Coordinates of all heavy atoms in Angstrom, one line a residue:
S386 N -11.1 2.9 -8.5 CA -10.0 3.5 -9.3 C -9.8 2.9 -10.7 O -9.2 3.5 -11.5 CB -8.7 3.3 -8.5 OG -8.4 2.0 -8.3
V387 N -10.4 1.7 -11.0 CA -10.2 1.1 -12.3 C -11.5 1.0 -13.1 O -11.5 0.6 -14.2 CB -9.6 -0.3 -12.1 CG1 -8.3 -0.2 -11.3 CG2 -10.6 -1.3 -11.6
K388 N -12.6 1.4 -12.5 CA -13.9 1.3 -13.2 C -13.8 2.1 -14.5 O -13.4 3.3 -14.5 CB -15.0 1.8 -12.3 CG -15.5 0.8 -11.3 CD -16.7 1.4 -10.5 CE -17.1 0.3 -9.5 NZ -18.3 0.9 -8.6
G389 N -14.3 1.5 -15.6 CA -14.3 2.2 -16.9 C -13.0 2.0 -17.7 O -13.0 2.4 -18.8
R390 N -12.0 1.5 -17.0 CA -10.7 1.3 -17.7 C -10.3 -0.2 -17.8 O -9.7 -0.6 -18.7 CB -9.6 2.1 -16.9 CG -9.8 3.6 -16.9 CD -8.6 4.3 -16.3 NE -8.3 3.8 -14.9 CZ -7.1 3.3 -14.5 NH1 -6.2 3.1 -15.4 NH2 -6.9 3.0 -13.3
F391 N -10.7 -0.9 -16.7 CA -10.3 -2.4 -16.7 C -11.6 -3.2 -16.9 O -12.7 -2.8 -16.5 CB -9.7 -2.7 -15.3 CG -8.4 -2.1 -15.1 CD1 -7.8 -1.2 -15.9 CD2 -7.6 -2.6 -14.0 CE1 -6.5 -0.6 -15.6 CE2 -6.4 -2.1 -13.7 CZ -5.8 -1.1 -14.5
T392 N -11.4 -4.4 -17.5 CA -12.5 -5.3 -17.7 C -12.0 -6.7 -17.4 O -11.0 -7.2 -17.9 CB -13.0 -5.3 -19.2 OG1 -13.4 -4.0 -19.5 CG2 -14.1 -6.3 -19.3
I393 N -12.7 -7.4 -16.5 CA -12.4 -8.7 -16.1 C -13.4 -9.7 -16.8 O -14.5 -9.4 -17.0 CB -12.5 -8.9 -14.6 CG1 -12.0 -10.3 -14.2 CG2 -13.9 -8.7 -14.1 CD1 -11.8 -10.5 -12.6
S394 N -12.8 -10.8 -17.2 CA -13.7 -11.8 -17.9 C -13.1 -13.2 -17.5 O -12.0 -13.3 -17.0 CB -13.7 -11.6 -19.4 OG -12.4 -11.7 -19.9
R395 N -13.8 -14.3 -17.8 CA -13.4 -15.6 -17.5 C -13.9 -16.6 -18.6 O -15.0 -16.4 -19.1 CB -13.7 -16.1 -16.1 CG -15.2 -16.2 -15.9 CD -15.5 -16.4 -14.4 NE -15.3 -17.8 -14.0 CZ -15.5 -18.2 -12.7 NH1 -15.8 -17.3 -11.8 NH2 -15.3 -19.5 -12.4
D396 N -13.1 -17.6 -18.8 CA -13.5 -18.7 -19.7 C -13.5 -19.9 -18.8 O -12.5 -20.5 -18.4 CB -12.4 -18.9 -20.8 CG -12.8 -19.9 -21.8 OD1 -13.6 -20.8 -21.4 OD2 -12.4 -19.8 -23.0
N397 N -14.7 -20.4 -18.5 CA -14.9 -21.5 -17.5 C -14.4 -22.8 -18.1 O -14.0 -23.7 -17.4 CB -16.3 -21.6 -17.1 CG -16.8 -20.5 -16.2 OD1 -16.0 -19.9 -15.4 ND2 -18.0 -20.1 -16.3
R398 N -14.5 -22.9 -19.4 CA -14.0 -24.2 -20.1 C -12.5 -24.3 -19.9 O -11.9 -25.4 -19.8 CB -14.4 -24.2 -21.5 CG -15.9 -24.3 -21.8 CD -16.1 -24.1 -23.3 NE -15.6 -22.9 -23.8 CZ -15.5 -22.5 -25.1 NH1 -16.0 -23.4 -26.0 NH2 -15.1 -21.4 -25.4
K399 N -11.8 -23.2 -19.9 CA -10.3 -23.2 -19.8 C -9.8 -22.9 -18.4 O -8.6 -22.8 -18.1 CB -9.7 -22.1 -20.7 CG -10.0 -22.4 -22.2 CD -9.3 -21.4 -23.1 CE -9.5 -21.6 -24.6 NZ -8.9 -20.6 -25.4
N400 N -10.8 -22.6 -17.5 CA -10.4 -22.2 -16.1 C -9.5 -21.1 -16.1 O -8.4 -21.1 -15.4 CB -9.9 -23.4 -15.3 CG -10.9 -24.5 -15.2 OD1 -12.0 -24.3 -14.8 ND2 -10.5 -25.8 -15.5
T401 N -9.8 -20.1 -16.9 CA -8.9 -19.0 -17.1 C -9.6 -17.7 -16.8 O -10.8 -17.5 -17.2 CB -8.3 -19.0 -18.5 OG1 -7.5 -20.2 -18.7 CG2 -7.3 -17.8 -18.7
V402 N -8.9 -16.7 -16.2 CA -9.5 -15.4 -15.9 C -8.6 -14.4 -16.6 O -7.3 -14.6 -16.6 CB -9.7 -15.1 -14.4 CG1 -8.3 -15.1 -13.7 CG2 -10.4 -13.8 -14.2
Y403 N -9.2 -13.3 -17.1 CA -8.4 -12.3 -17.9 C -8.7 -10.9 -17.2 O -9.7 -10.7 -16.6 CB -8.9 -12.3 -19.3 CG -8.8 -13.6 -20.0 CD1 -9.9 -14.4 -20.1 CD2 -7.6 -14.0 -20.6 CE1 -9.8 -15.6 -20.8 CE2 -7.5 -15.2 -21.3 CZ -8.6 -16.0 -21.4 OH -8.5 -17.2 -22.0
L404 N -7.7 -10.0 -17.4 CA -7.9 -8.6 -17.0 C -7.4 -7.8 -18.1 O -6.2 -7.7 -18.4 CB -7.2 -8.3 -15.7 CG -7.4 -6.9 -15.1 CD1 -8.9 -6.8 -14.7 CD2 -6.5 -6.6 -14.0
Q405 N -8.3 -7.1 -18.8 CA -8.0 -6.2 -19.9 C -7.8 -4.8 -19.2 O -8.8 -4.3 -18.6 CB -9.0 -6.2 -21.0 CG -8.8 -5.1 -22.1 CD -7.6 -5.5 -22.9 OE1 -7.3 -6.6 -23.2 NE2 -6.7 -4.5 -23.2
M406 N -6.7 -4.2 -19.4 CA -6.4 -3.0 -18.7 C -6.1 -1.9 -19.8 O -5.1 -2.0 -20.5 CB -5.2 -3.1 -17.8 CG -5.3 -4.2 -16.7 SD -4.0 -4.2 -15.5 CE -2.6 -4.8 -16.6
N407 N -7.0 -0.9 -19.9 CA -6.8 0.2 -20.8 C -6.6 1.5 -20.1 O -6.8 1.6 -18.9 CB -8.1 0.3 -21.7 CG -8.3 -1.0 -22.5 OD1 -7.4 -1.7 -22.9 ND2 -9.6 -1.3 -22.7
N408 N -6.0 2.4 -20.9 CA -5.8 3.8 -20.3 C -5.0 3.7 -19.0 O -5.4 4.3 -18.0 CB -7.1 4.6 -20.1 CG -6.8 6.0 -19.8 OD1 -5.8 6.6 -20.1 ND2 -7.8 6.6 -19.2
L409 N -3.9 2.9 -19.0 CA -3.2 2.7 -17.8 C -2.5 4.0 -17.3 O -2.1 4.8 -18.1 CB -2.1 1.6 -18.1 CG -2.7 0.2 -18.0 CD1 -1.8 -0.8 -18.8 CD2 -2.9 -0.3 -16.6
K410 N -2.4 4.1 -16.0 CA -1.8 5.3 -15.4 C -0.7 4.9 -14.5 O -0.6 3.7 -14.1 CB -2.9 5.9 -14.5 CG -4.2 6.3 -15.2 CD -5.2 6.9 -14.3 CE -6.5 7.3 -15.0 NZ -7.5 7.8 -14.0
P411 N 0.3 5.8 -14.2 CA 1.4 5.4 -13.4 C 1.0 4.8 -12.0 O 1.7 3.9 -11.5 CB 2.1 6.7 -13.2 CG 1.8 7.5 -14.4 CD 0.4 7.1 -14.8
E412 N -0.1 5.3 -11.5 CA -0.6 4.7 -10.2 C -1.1 3.3 -10.3 O -1.4 2.7 -9.3 CB -1.7 5.6 -9.6 CG -2.8 6.0 -10.5 CD -2.6 7.3 -11.2 OE1 -1.5 7.6 -11.6 OE2 -3.6 8.0 -11.3
D413 N -1.2 2.8 -11.5 CA -1.6 1.3 -11.7 C -0.4 0.4 -11.5 O -0.5 -0.8 -11.5 CB -2.2 1.1 -13.0 CG -3.5 1.8 -13.2 OD1 -4.4 1.8 -12.3 OD2 -3.8 2.4 -14.3
T414 N 0.8 1.0 -11.4 CA 2.0 0.2 -11.2 C 2.0 -0.6 -9.9 O 1.7 0.0 -8.9 CB 3.3 1.1 -11.2 OG1 3.4 1.8 -12.5 CG2 4.5 0.4 -10.9
A415 N 2.1 -1.9 -10.1 CA 2.0 -2.8 -8.9 C 2.3 -4.2 -9.4 O 2.4 -4.5 -10.6 CB 0.6 -2.7 -8.3
V416 N 2.4 -5.1 -8.4 CA 2.4 -6.5 -8.7 C 1.0 -7.0 -8.7 O 0.3 -6.7 -7.7 CB 3.3 -7.3 -7.7 CG1 3.2 -8.8 -8.0 CG2 4.7 -6.9 -7.7
Y417 N 0.6 -7.6 -9.7 CA -0.8 -8.1 -9.9 C -0.9 -9.6 -9.6 O -0.1 -10.4 -10.2 CB -1.4 -7.8 -11.3 CG -1.7 -6.3 -11.4 CD1 -0.7 -5.4 -11.5 CD2 -3.0 -5.9 -11.6 CE1 -1.0 -4.0 -11.6 CE2 -3.4 -4.6 -11.7 CZ -2.3 -3.6 -11.7 OH -2.6 -2.3 -11.9
Y418 N -1.8 -9.9 -8.7 CA -1.9 -11.3 -8.2 C -3.3 -11.9 -8.7 O -4.3 -11.2 -8.4 CB -1.8 -11.4 -6.7 CG -0.5 -11.1 -6.2 CD1 -0.2 -9.8 -5.8 CD2 0.5 -12.0 -6.1 CE1 1.0 -9.4 -5.3 CE2 1.8 -11.7 -5.5 CZ 2.0 -10.4 -5.2 OH 3.3 -10.0 -4.7
C419 N -3.3 -13.1 -9.2 CA -4.5 -13.8 -9.5 C -5.0 -14.5 -8.3 O -4.2 -15.0 -7.5 CB -4.2 -14.8 -10.6 SG -5.6 -15.9 -11.1
Y420 N -6.3 -14.5 -8.1 CA -6.9 -15.2 -7.0 C -8.1 -16.0 -7.4 O -8.9 -15.6 -8.3 CB -7.5 -14.1 -6.0 CG -8.3 -14.7 -4.9 CD1 -7.7 -15.3 -3.7 CD2 -9.7 -14.7 -4.9 CE1 -8.4 -15.8 -2.7 CE2 -10.4 -15.3 -3.9 CZ -9.8 -15.8 -2.8 OH -10.5 -16.3 -1.8
V421 N -8.2 -17.2 -6.9 CA -9.3 -18.1 -7.2 C -9.9 -18.7 -5.9 O -9.1 -19.1 -5.0 CB -8.8 -19.3 -8.1 CG1 -9.8 -20.4 -8.1 CG2 -8.5 -18.8 -9.5
N422 N -11.2 -18.7 -5.9 CA -11.9 -19.3 -4.7 C -12.6 -20.6 -5.2 O -13.5 -20.5 -6.0 CB -12.9 -18.3 -4.2 CG -13.6 -18.9 -2.9 OD1 -14.1 -20.0 -2.9 ND2 -13.7 -18.1 -1.9
Q423 N -12.1 -21.7 -4.7 CA -12.8 -23.0 -5.0 C -13.4 -23.5 -3.8 O -12.7 -23.9 -2.8 CB -11.7 -24.0 -5.6 CG -12.4 -25.3 -5.9 CD -11.5 -26.2 -6.8 OE1 -11.8 -26.2 -8.0 NE2 -10.6 -26.9 -6.2

């Protein structure tokens, strides 16, 4: 449902993950949770 609209990236030096969300739709409304597997 998000392919072509959302882009995930990470900066390993900063231990940070990003989610760029474009062309947002009402059905994208939600609580978004970050997840990390160590």
Side-chain angles (χ1 to χ4, degrees):
S386 61
V387 307
K388 283 182 178 179
R390 301 187 297 123
F391 291 10
T392 302
I393 189 170
S394 61
R395 62 190 282 177
D396 185 334
N397 291 329
R398 294 172 301 172
K399 297 181 179 179
N400 296 314
T401 299
V402 62
Y403 306 95
L404 185 68
Q405 177 66 43
M406 304 185 293
N407 297 329
N408 190 21
L409 282 159
K410 303 176 180 181
E412 51 264 41
D413 294 317
T414 296
V416 178
Y417 284 69
Y418 295 92
C419 176
Y420 172 82
V421 164
N422 183 313
Q423 176 162 266

